[in-house]
Protein backbone atom coordinates (compact mmCIF):
# COMPACT_ATOMS: atom_id res chain seq x y z
CA UNK A 1 0.00 0.00 0.00
CA UNK A 2 2.90 2.32 0.71
CA UNK A 3 4.05 2.20 -2.92
CA UNK A 4 0.69 3.64 -4.02
CA UNK A 5 1.05 6.71 -1.82
CA UNK A 6 4.69 7.21 -2.79
CA UNK A 7 3.86 6.78 -6.48
CA UNK A 8 0.96 9.24 -6.32
CA UNK A 9 3.12 11.81 -4.53
CA UNK A 10 5.92 11.34 -7.06
CA UNK A 11 3.51 11.78 -9.99
CA UNK A 12 1.76 14.83 -8.50
CA UNK A 13 4.71 16.74 -7.06
CA UNK A 14 4.30 19.62 -9.51
CA UNK A 15 0.52 19.54 -9.29
CA UNK A 16 0.50 20.26 -5.54
CA UNK A 17 1.76 23.79 -6.17
CA UNK A 18 -0.75 24.30 -8.98
CA UNK A 19 -3.60 23.09 -6.77
CA UNK A 20 -2.53 25.44 -3.94
CA UNK A 21 -2.38 28.44 -6.30
CA UNK A 22 -5.76 27.50 -7.77
CA UNK A 23 -7.27 27.26 -4.28
CA UNK A 24 -5.98 30.77 -3.42
CA UNK A 25 -7.39 32.06 -6.71
CA UNK A 26 -10.78 30.50 -5.98
CA UNK A 27 -10.74 31.88 -2.42
CA UNK A 28 -10.16 35.43 -3.63
CA UNK A 29 -11.98 35.61 -6.96
CA UNK A 30 -15.06 33.47 -6.33
CA UNK A 31 -15.56 32.98 -2.60
CA UNK A 32 -15.13 36.64 -1.66
CA UNK A 33 -17.87 37.93 -4.02
CA UNK A 34 -20.25 35.14 -2.98
CA UNK A 35 -19.67 35.82 0.73
CA UNK A 36 -20.04 39.60 0.34
CA UNK A 37 -23.15 39.29 -1.82
CA UNK A 38 -24.73 36.87 0.63
CA UNK A 39 -23.93 39.23 3.50
CA UNK A 40 -25.49 42.19 1.65
CA UNK A 41 -28.58 40.15 0.70
CA UNK A 42 -29.14 39.08 4.34
CA UNK A 43 -28.84 42.55 5.93
CA UNK A 44 -32.62 42.96 6.18
CA UNK A 45 -33.02 39.57 7.88
CA UNK A 46 -34.35 37.74 4.82
CA UNK A 47 -32.42 36.70 1.75
CA UNK A 48 -33.07 39.13 -1.12
CA UNK A 49 -32.18 37.51 -4.46
CA UNK A 50 -32.16 40.75 -6.49
CA UNK A 51 -29.70 42.36 -4.05
CA UNK A 52 -27.54 39.23 -4.21
CA UNK A 53 -27.42 39.24 -8.05
CA UNK A 54 -26.72 42.99 -8.30
CA UNK A 55 -24.02 42.88 -5.63
CA UNK A 56 -22.48 39.71 -7.06
CA UNK A 57 -22.20 41.27 -10.54
CA UNK A 58 -20.29 44.24 -9.10
CA UNK A 59 -18.15 42.17 -6.72
CA UNK A 60 -17.03 39.59 -9.26
CA UNK A 61 -15.44 42.30 -11.42
CA UNK A 62 -13.48 43.78 -8.48
CA UNK A 63 -12.46 40.86 -6.22
CA UNK A 64 -9.69 42.68 -4.32
CA UNK A 65 -11.93 45.64 -3.51
CA UNK A 66 -14.55 43.14 -2.39
CA UNK A 67 -12.01 41.49 -0.10
CA UNK A 68 -11.40 44.87 1.53
CA UNK A 69 -15.14 45.43 1.92
CA UNK A 70 -15.53 42.02 3.53
CA UNK A 71 -12.87 42.97 6.08
CA UNK A 72 -14.31 46.42 6.85
CA UNK A 73 -18.03 45.55 6.88
CA UNK A 74 -17.74 42.59 9.25
CA UNK A 75 -18.62 39.84 6.82
CA UNK A 76 -15.68 37.63 7.83
CA UNK A 77 -17.97 35.00 9.39
CA UNK A 78 -19.84 34.72 6.12
CA UNK A 79 -16.54 34.56 4.23
CA UNK A 80 -15.09 31.79 6.41
CA UNK A 81 -18.23 29.65 6.25
CA UNK A 82 -18.35 30.00 2.44
CA UNK A 83 -14.63 29.29 2.24
CA UNK A 84 -15.03 26.19 4.40
CA UNK A 85 -17.75 24.73 2.15
CA UNK A 86 -15.72 25.53 -0.97
CA UNK A 87 -12.58 24.02 0.55
CA UNK A 88 -14.40 20.80 1.43
CA UNK A 89 -15.65 20.42 -2.16
CA UNK A 90 -12.19 21.29 -3.50
CA UNK A 91 -10.52 18.79 -1.14
CA UNK A 92 -12.91 16.02 -2.22
CA UNK A 93 -12.09 16.58 -5.90
CA UNK A 94 -8.37 16.87 -5.08
CA UNK A 95 -8.48 13.59 -3.16
CA UNK A 96 -10.31 11.81 -5.99
CA UNK A 97 -7.68 13.00 -8.46
CA UNK A 98 -4.88 12.00 -6.11
CA UNK A 99 -6.30 8.48 -5.66
CA UNK A 100 -6.85 8.04 -9.40
CA UNK A 101 -3.23 8.98 -10.11
CA UNK A 102 -1.86 6.30 -7.78
CA UNK A 103 -0.02 3.48 -9.54
CA UNK A 104 -2.00 0.30 -10.11
CA UNK A 105 0.82 -1.99 -8.98
CA UNK A 106 4.28 -1.79 -7.49
CA UNK A 107 6.03 -2.01 -10.85
CA UNK A 108 4.23 0.81 -12.66
CA UNK A 109 6.52 3.25 -14.46
CA UNK A 110 9.55 1.00 -14.08
CA UNK A 111 11.43 0.21 -17.26
CA UNK A 112 11.53 -3.49 -17.97
CA UNK A 113 15.03 -4.88 -18.20
CA UNK A 114 16.68 -2.21 -16.12
CA UNK A 115 18.08 -2.28 -12.62
CA UNK A 116 15.30 -0.01 -11.32
CA UNK A 117 13.74 -3.02 -9.59
CA UNK A 118 16.27 -2.65 -6.78
CA UNK A 119 16.51 0.24 -4.37
CA UNK A 120 19.36 1.86 -2.44
CA UNK A 121 22.08 -0.38 -3.86
CA UNK A 122 20.60 -3.73 -2.83
CA UNK A 123 21.59 -5.25 -6.18
CA UNK A 124 25.25 -4.86 -5.22
CA UNK A 125 24.87 -7.59 -2.61
CA UNK A 126 24.84 -9.98 -5.57
CA UNK A 127 26.29 -7.91 -8.41
CA UNK A 128 29.41 -5.80 -8.74
CA UNK A 129 29.50 -2.13 -9.60
CA UNK A 130 32.85 -2.05 -11.40
CA UNK A 131 33.95 -5.29 -13.12
CA UNK A 132 32.72 -8.63 -14.37
CA UNK A 133 30.23 -9.77 -17.00
CA UNK A 134 28.15 -6.81 -18.19
CA UNK A 135 24.46 -7.18 -17.35
CA UNK A 136 23.25 -3.58 -17.47
CA UNK A 137 24.65 -0.11 -16.98
CA UNK A 138 26.67 -0.14 -13.72
CA UNK A 139 25.66 -3.75 -13.05
CA UNK A 140 28.22 -6.49 -13.54
CA UNK A 141 28.13 -10.15 -12.54
CA UNK A 142 31.44 -10.82 -10.77
CA UNK A 143 33.44 -13.72 -12.19
CA UNK A 144 35.31 -14.39 -8.95
CA UNK A 145 32.09 -15.02 -7.02
CA UNK A 146 31.62 -18.38 -5.35
CA UNK A 147 28.47 -20.24 -6.26
CA UNK A 148 26.25 -20.11 -9.31
CA UNK A 149 27.33 -17.47 -11.83
CA UNK A 150 25.28 -18.71 -14.78
CA UNK A 151 23.87 -15.97 -16.98
CA UNK A 152 20.75 -16.17 -19.13
CA UNK A 153 20.82 -13.66 -21.98
CA UNK A 154 17.43 -12.87 -23.45
CA UNK A 155 17.40 -11.02 -26.74
CA UNK A 156 18.60 -11.38 -30.29
CA UNK A 157 21.95 -11.23 -31.99
CA UNK A 158 22.33 -8.35 -34.39
CA UNK A 159 24.66 -8.77 -37.33
CA UNK A 160 25.36 -5.71 -39.37
Amino acid sequence: MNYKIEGAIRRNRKNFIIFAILWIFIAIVFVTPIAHSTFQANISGQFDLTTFIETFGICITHPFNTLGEVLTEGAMGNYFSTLMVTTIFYAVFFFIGFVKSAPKNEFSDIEHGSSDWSQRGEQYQILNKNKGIILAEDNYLPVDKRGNVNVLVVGRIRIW
Side-chain angles (χ1 to χ4, degrees), residues 25-45:
F25 178 78
I26 289 170
I28 293 172
V29 174
F30 293 114
V31 174
T32 306
I34 291 171
H36 186 264
S37 301
T38 306
F39 180 75
Q40 291 295 324
N42 282 330
I43 285 180
S44 65

Side-chain angles (χ1 to χ4, degrees), residues 35-76:
H36 186 264
S37 301
T38 306
F39 180 75
Q40 291 295 324
N42 282 330
I43 285 180
S44 65
Q46 286 186 332
F47 186 77
D48 186 14
L49 186 61
T50 57
T51 306
F52 176 80
I53 293 173
E54 290 172 2
T55 310
F56 185 75
I58 296 168
C59 292
I60 198 76
T61 57
H62 306 291
F64 292 105
N65 293 340
T66 306
L67 184 61
E69 290 176 9
V70 165
L71 293 171
T72 57
E73 294 179 6
M76 287 302 289

Side-chain angles (χ1 to χ4, degrees), residues 2-11 99-114 116-119:
N2 194 22
Y3 68 88
K4 287 191 175 192
I5 296 170
E6 288 177 5
I9 290 172
R10 186 176 57 247
R11 284 183 180 180
V99 168
K100 286 194 173 261
S101 70
K104 303 300 178 224
N105 59 35
E106 193 171 352
F107 303 106
S108 293
D109 298 332
I110 294 179
E111 178 186 347
H112 299 306
S114 69
D116 290 344
W117 51 267
S118 61
Q119 297 175 353

Side-chain angles (χ1 to χ4, degrees), residues 129-160:
K129 199 180 215 179
N130 302 322
K131 61 182 179 171
I133 301 170
I134 299 173
L135 297 177
E137 184 179 356
D138 294 332
N139 286 306
Y140 298 90
L141 182 66
V143 290
D144 59 346
K145 181 180 183 218
R146 294 179 54 102
N148 188 358
V149 290
N150 293 332
V151 178
L152 172 65
V153 178
V154 178
R156 62 182 168 160
I157 300 172
R158 294 186 182 188
I159 301 174
W160 288 281

